[in-house]
Amino acid sequence: MSIKIITRQNYASSTVVGELMDRFDFGGYFNCLKTVFTGQKLLFHDETTSTFHMIESFMDTNGFTTVANVQTAGRGRTSNKWTSHRGCAMFCNVLHVDLESFLGQRISFLQMLMSLAIVKGIKKLLGGHDIGLRLKWPNDIYYGRETKVGGIIVTSLIQGNKAICCFGSGINVDNLEPTNCINNIIRHSNLQDKKQLTTGQVIGASLTELESMVNNFRNEDDWRRIKKAYLDSWLHQDQKVTTADSTKAIIREINDYGFLVLEEEETHQIITAQPDGNRFDLLQNLLILRETEN
């Protein structure tokens, strides 16, 4: 099958989409997509190994996005697998970041930026209503404290003076398995309008929020606003945790680079944990640190 790159223009003229119309909500996607470049070029497959594999040939195109309904080899952090069910919004997008820019100096925050964009996008689709979606540092989306409904993985490579970053995202929109999904949460919420969302709407709204935050990540004031939005939605403020070496600590915040800031209970010494390589067992309040800094 030939590769069909879908844009707003050729979708509207129905010259490319054709038989794919009943497999993905292209109308909802483009109606919710309010961007200059992010997501404006889309490659869709009903079933694929991974949206990461789909995007490998398009890494030079800033904003390029791939979407699939089913993945047979989805990726998670470290060696984890992402279980694929129809109804999950599974997408990958490319972002080029100037390493000398304000955001480029804080590149490790990007995976948190994407998770925040998804939460903000869904909230906007629901007219600003909060349905209890929360952020687990550094890259997961939870409903309440116990149910994971989404996750993000970010890879990057340096090319000259820019980082080419690839975001792989999955959010349970209309699939009850393996945990819970956004539409079921809406159905059991106290919202008067219990409209059901499509994966197309969620992806379009999320990419819109991502580009908006990237464009508004230019100085300290911008960063403080985005950091506050992240902390307003996260699960961990003043949470007591135990590290793998049995150190008792309290989570205080994230620093300017998205690293977790902890305070040891006994000594009040500050520990920072970087996003890559560390694992957080939320149910046991156990933080397994690959590396710490004093």
Side-chain angles (χ1 to χ4, degrees), residues 226-239:
I226 292 171
K227 178 180 176 180
K228 181 180 185 303
Y230 184 86
L231 294 178
D232 284 346
S233 293
W234 82 333
L235 287 167
H236 306 300
Q237 191 62 48
D238 296 328
Q239 180 182 355

Side-chain angles (χ1 to χ4, degrees), residues 258-271:
F259 291 13
L260 197 65
V261 178
L262 306 99
E263 179 184 350
E264 288 192 21
E265 282 192 308
E266 292 186 2
T267 67
H268 301 291
Q269 184 178 12
I270 297 300
I271 306 170

Side-chain angles (χ1 to χ4, degrees), residues 44-67:
F44 171 82
H45 283 173
D46 184 58
E47 183 172 329
T48 187
T49 53
S50 166
T51 52
F52 269 108
H53 296 159
M54 289 169 62
I55 212 165
E56 287 175 347
S57 300
F58 304 97
M59 297 295 287
D60 288 338
T61 304
N62 195 14
F64 196 90
T65 298
T66 57
V67 174

Side-chain angles (χ1 to χ4, degrees), residues 50-289:
S50 166
T51 52
F52 269 108
H53 296 159
M54 289 169 62
I55 212 165
E56 287 175 347
S57 300
F58 304 97
M59 297 295 287
D60 288 338
T61 304
N62 195 14
F64 196 90
T65 298
T66 57
V67 174
N69 283 335
V70 174
Q71 294 183 136
T72 59
R75 294 172 57 182
R77 286 187 82 213
T78 61
S79 59
N80 294 333
K81 302 293 184 183
W82 177 261
T83 304
S84 170
H85 292 267
R86 287 189 181 272
C88 180
M90 292 172 285
F91 61 107
C92 236
N93 60 290
V94 176
L95 177 67
H96 295 180
V97 180
D98 182 351
L99 291 173
E100 297 182 359
S101 68
F102 191 80
L103 176 58
Q105 299 295 314
R106 293 155 179 81
I107 205 75
S108 58
F109 187 71
L110 280 174
Q111 59 186 319
M112 285 160 269
L113 207 63
M114 185 72 246
S115 60
L116 177 59
I118 292 174
V119 170
K120 286 169 64 71
I122 291 172
K123 188 174 182 178
K124 186 164 291 186
L125 288 172
L126 298 176
H129 294 288
D130 183 351
I131 58 170
L133 298 183
R134 295 294 179 262
L135 301 173
K136 175 191 167 192
W137 180 90
N139 68 323
D140 287 334
I141 299 170
Y142 269 60
Y143 172 57
R145 293 190 60 83
E146 297 184 355
T147 307
K148 180 177 176 178
V149 294
I152 292 90
I153 181 172
V154 180
T155 64
S156 62
L157 60 89
I158 305 301
Q159 191 176 87
N161 64 347
K162 66 181 177 182
I164 300 179
C165 304
C166 185
F167 299 79
S169 306
I171 179 75
N172 296 339
V173 176
D174 199 35
N175 52 302
L176 282 171
E177 295 182 345
T179 57
N180 200 348
C181 66
I182 302 304
N183 282 342
N184 190 55
I185 294 168
I186 294 170
R187 283 192 292 268
H188 291 86
S189 72
N190 59 5
L191 297 180
Q192 289 186 341
D193 182 4
K194 298 184 186 294
K195 67 178 181 180
Q196 300 291 275
L197 305 180
T198 68
T199 57
Q201 290 173 319
V202 169
I203 296 171
S206 300
L207 293 177
T208 297
E209 293 299 321
L210 176 66
E211 184 175 287
S212 175
M213 286 190 289
V214 168
N215 289 340
N216 289 287
F217 205 112
R218 297 165 297 186
N219 54 49
E220 291 288 348
D221 288 339
D222 295 336
W223 162 232
R224 278 193 289 269
R225 284 191 293 271
I226 292 171
K227 178 180 176 180
K228 181 180 185 303
Y230 184 86
L231 294 178
D232 284 346
S233 293
W234 82 333
L235 287 167
H236 306 300
Q237 191 62 48
D238 296 328
Q239 180 182 355
K240 294 184 178 182
V241 296
T242 303
T243 65
D245 64 358
S246 299
T247 299
K248 304 291 185 181
I250 302 172
I251 298 175
R252 293 307 188 192
E253 61 166 343
I254 53 175
N255 67 13
D256 287 353
Y257 301 93
F259 291 13
L260 197 65
V261 178
L262 306 99
E263 179 184 350
E264 288 192 21
E265 282 192 308
E266 292 186 2
T267 67
H268 301 291
Q269 184 178 12
I270 297 300
I271 306 170
T272 59
Q274 59 181 316
D276 294 332
N278 295 314
R279 294 189 291 114
F280 205 151
D281 187 331
L282 191 61
L283 295 180
Q284 298 187 49
N285 289 336
L286 179 63
L287 182 63
I288 301 174
L289 301 179

